[in-house]
Amino acid sequence: MPQITVDYPAGLDDSFDRRGFALALHPLVAETVSTKLSACKTRFVPAADCVVGDAPAGDAVVNVSIAMLPGRTPETKAQLTEAVLDLLAAHLKRVDGLTFHTSAEVRDLDASYRKR
């Protein structure tokens, strides 16, 4: 059920261990929100361009969005968000001249959500 989307700059192939991140993220999500590990699904979406403020270059935006069925408290969502940011930092390799801007969000799926 947790639908996880990670937006990241397309050029980070050598600097972002995406598979390792997902394999570490799934147990973290499952434990934090009391769901099955097999229910976690992560999709990585490369962004062609990232622009931050008026920075001419050297910035990379990585965003993790976790959507799940309603029922988790705001405190649980905040705890998961902080843990995701810590985990993300551990899977991004420093690159000279590159500033990472990372963010995470945990939100409820709309009542219209269905899966097959």
Side-chain angles (χ1 to χ4, degrees):
M1 163 266 315
Q3 301 292 321
I4 305 164
T5 304
V6 181
D7 295 303
Y8 71 99
L12 283 186
D13 292 334
D14 294 333
S15 303
F16 184 19
D17 177 13
R18 294 183 302 278
R19 182 164 184 75
F21 175 69
L23 291 174
L25 178 64
H26 293 170
L28 172 68
V29 171
E31 181 179 327
T32 305
V33 301
S34 300
T35 192
K36 294 179 184 176
L37 181 64
S38 61
C40 298
K41 301 164 202 72
T42 298
R43 172 171 73 94
F44 292 89
V45 180
D49 294 307
C50 295
V51 179
V52 176
D54 62 355
D59 287 29
V61 177
V62 182
N63 176 264
V64 180
S65 176
I66 302 173
M68 62 185 71
L69 295 173
R72 279 61 179 203
T73 66
E75 294 80 16
T76 298
K77 291 177 186 178
Q79 176 188 356
L80 179 56
T81 301
E82 289 296 327
V84 167
L85 288 173
D86 291 341
L87 185 65
L88 182 58
H91 285 83
L92 292 171
K93 297 176 187 166
R94 289 184 104 46
V95 177
D96 288 338
L98 184 66
T99 301
F100 285 109
H101 299 268
T102 58
S103 58
E105 171 193 24
V106 176
R107 62 180 175 79
D108 292 340
L109 287 163
D110 189 78
S112 66
Y113 174 77
R114 302 289 185 274
K115 70 176 186 174
R116 292 186 185 184

